[in-house]
Amino acid sequence: MNKMTKLEKRWILYDVGNSAFVLLASTIIPIYYKNIAQASGISPADSTAYFSYATSLVTVLVAVLGPVLGSLADTKGFKKPVFTFFMMMGVIGCGGLSVPKSWLAFLAVYVVAKVGLNASLVFYDAMLGDVTTEERMDVISAQGYAWGYIGSCIPFVFSLVFVLFSDTIGITGNAAMAIAFLVNGAWWLLVTLPLLKSYEQKYYVEPGEHPVRDSFRRLKKIFSEIREKPEIWYFLLAFFFYIDGVYTIIDMATSYGKDVGITDTNLLLALLLTQVVAFPCSILFGQLSKRVQGTKLIQVSIVGYFFVVLFALQLDKAWEFWFLAVWVAVFQGAIQSLSRSYFAKIIPREKAAEYFGFFDIFGKGAAFMGTLLMGISTQLFDTSRAGVAVLAVMFAVGFVLFRIAAGKAQA
């Protein structure tokens, strides 16, 4: 069966919705924030560091909440309501970014929106086992990222017209940004509605008399199970390290580009190109997974990112940023989608949200470490390049641990 079902398509649509905010958060939001900070007298290095710390705070909050909420959401009837709550938190936060005028208040609202986004993804990822079969997980997961990349371009291009041509249109820059935030929030909500209408939780744990207390008990039991399954434990450790670089690059690419002298227009257009290139590359890797083991494709992606980071260390020209954007796009969707589907295959489906809660801890925990180290290194050495150098080490360690995990899974 090659044709996607209606439910698979509607699950993919959530990637299309939330990716609009993800693209906004990696392009327009950092530029707008750094411009506000600069107007307030904050140095470029300090504004990058503060943005890193805000991103790190998000990852800590979600890493703490993820397993607890995941455990609760595996209870029958809980997954959709909890997912809906955090999705709406993200949507409202996205639109709410149009309100603050100070850099600190803007960062506060940004944290709220990002927590909503990242927490919703714990449950969205855990839905994969409910919406498709194990044989189709790699392909459907890749399709989600692929259509997310290309679909997010629609509200982004609409927003970009207002941001880049605000003077021609006859509106202020702040008004243009407010339109961008509201449009992307509305897009996120509208394309999510079909999933909310049709999704039903197939795999679950029957509710007890005390679902919240029971969820904590299951949480402790799940952690013990993970430690006793080396193929899962080593994968999570590997994921912790290599996904660090991926999330940090996504979160900090625009700030880093501004620090090394790339213009706002070049940054925005190059990152738009990333989305366009990532679309066919994600589908390509999804199709390759039918012929090549997913573990091998993940390793290729890790190595690809390692060389991306090395190239970024000497980046100081616009064409180099464009070149880097293309190569990031080649591996970005593959490493995320294949990691998600690989993990979904090696865990029990009825405990998917609980396990994906830990998946999120190791993933977002890595992002916390990456953005935090980048912020500290940038301030210590007064250059963003010092922070980027840390990422190369993370990819190398992640590659070694993943090979161990793959060996354990085959044993």
Side-chain angles (χ1 to χ4, degrees):
M1 182 180 66
N2 294 319
K3 188 177 179 180
M4 286 188 290
T5 66
K6 182 182 292 186
L7 184 57
E8 287 171 342
K9 291 177 181 177
R10 292 183 173 187
W11 181 83
I12 287 169
L13 272 177
Y14 186 68
D15 250 322
V16 175
N18 76 74
S19 291
F21 177 69
V22 172
L23 180 56
L24 206 66
S26 62
T27 52
I28 292 178
I29 287 176
I31 291 173
Y32 181 60
Y33 155 73
K34 286 181 76 71
N35 289 339
I36 295 175
Q38 184 178 5
S40 301
I42 308 297
S43 71
D46 282 342
S47 64
T48 295
Y50 297 147
F51 194 75
S52 296
Y53 299 149
T55 304
S56 298
L57 176 60
V58 171
T59 59
V60 170
L61 291 173
V62 177
V64 171
L65 290 173
V68 177
L69 293 172
S71 179
L72 183 63
D74 271 330
T75 304
K76 184 177 181 180
F78 275 73
K79 191 178 291 183
K80 186 193 286 189
V82 180
F83 165 76
T84 304
F85 173 82
F86 283 107
M87 179 273 295
M88 288 303 303
M89 180 177 171
V91 167
I92 294 170
C94 179
L97 287 169
S98 60
V99 177
K101 300 299 182 240
S102 73
W103 66 271
L104 187 58
F106 183 83
L107 278 184
V109 178
Y110 174 71
V111 167
V112 172
K114 284 278 281 185
V115 168
L117 166 71
N118 291 335
S120 74
L121 292 177
V122 175
F123 310 107
Y124 172 66
D125 291 344
M127 291 176 182
L128 183 57
D130 292 321
V131 302
T132 192
T133 63
E134 182 173 339
E135 295 75 21
R136 292 172 59 82
M137 282 184 181
D138 283 338
V139 173
I140 298 304
S141 181
Q143 289 280 342
Y145 277 105
W147 286 102
Y149 291 134
I150 201 68
S152 64
C153 293
I154 298 172
F156 181 75
V157 169
F158 183 84
S159 304
L160 208 57
V161 169
F162 284 92
V163 172
L164 295 180
F165 302 104
S166 56
D167 291 339
T168 305
I169 296 172
I171 59 175
T172 65
N174 286 340
M177 291 303 306
I179 291 172
F181 296 138
L182 291 170
V183 165
N184 282 269
W187 171 271
W188 184 356
L189 175 61
L190 289 174
V191 299
T192 305
L193 293 178
L195 177 63
L196 295 180
K197 181 180 179 181
S198 59
Y199 171 76
E200 295 294 337
Q201 188 174 352
K202 291 182 179 179
Y203 300 96
Y204 50 79
V205 176
E206 289 291 345
E209 294 183 7
H210 306 283
V212 176
R213 187 174 66 187
D214 291 344
S215 71
F216 278 96
R217 290 175 178 172
R218 290 200 306 273
L219 185 62
K220 181 179 179 181
K221 184 179 179 182
I222 292 297
F223 183 71
S224 298
E225 287 181 13
I226 290 174
R227 291 297 304 272
E228 293 172 0
K229 297 177 179 178
E231 70 278 12
I232 297 178
W233 178 245
Y234 278 100
F235 169 75
L236 287 174
L237 290 177
F239 186 69
F240 176 86
F241 283 97
Y242 72 72
I243 210 66
D244 162 69
V246 177
Y247 288 149
T248 305
I249 287 170
I250 290 172
D251 287 332
M252 302 304 298
T254 304
S255 292
Y256 179 67
K258 281 185 70 72
D259 289 349
V260 298
I262 311 301
T263 65
D264 289 357
T265 301
N266 269 308
L267 286 171
L268 291 172
L269 294 178
L271 291 168
L272 177 61
L273 177 64
T274 300
Q275 301 297 107
V276 175
V277 174
F279 171 66
C281 289
S282 295
I283 293 177
L284 174 62
F285 273 90
Q287 294 300 316
L288 281 175
S289 67
K290 296 178 181 179
R291 302 176 179 85
V292 183
Q293 284 186 338
T295 53
K296 292 181 179 179
L297 295 176
I298 291 174
Q299 290 176 65
V300 168
S301 300
I302 296 172
V303 172
Y305 261 107
F306 177 79
F307 285 106
V308 161
V309 172
L310 293 184
F311 183 82
L313 287 173
Q314 56 80 53
L315 186 151
D316 61 0
K317 299 179 181 65
W319 75 264
E320 292 177 332
F321 191 86
W322 282 76
F323 178 79
L324 194 67
V326 170
W327 277 103
V328 165
V330 170
F331 302 108
Q332 183 170 294
I335 200 168
Q336 294 181 87
S337 66
L338 291 171
S339 295
R340 174 170 65 185
S341 56
Y342 177 78
F343 188 69
K345 290 176 182 178
I346 63 176
I347 63 173
R349 289 199 193 183
E350 71 277 5
K351 301 176 182 178
E354 290 174 306
Y355 274 84
F356 268 103
F358 282 100
F359 182 80
D360 202 66
I361 272 193
F362 282 83
K364 297 302 187 293
F368 160 75
M369 186 164 63
T371 52
L372 180 62
L373 288 176
M374 187 167 181
I376 293 172
S377 300
T378 297
Q379 286 194 307
L380 284 177
F381 297 97
D382 200 31
T383 173
S384 301
R385 298 184 196 279
V388 172
V390 175
L391 303 183
V393 178
M394 306 296 287
F395 280 118
V397 174
F399 180 80
V400 173
L401 287 172
F402 185 79
R403 285 186 63 87
I404 295 173
K408 297 289 184 182
Q410 293 174 358

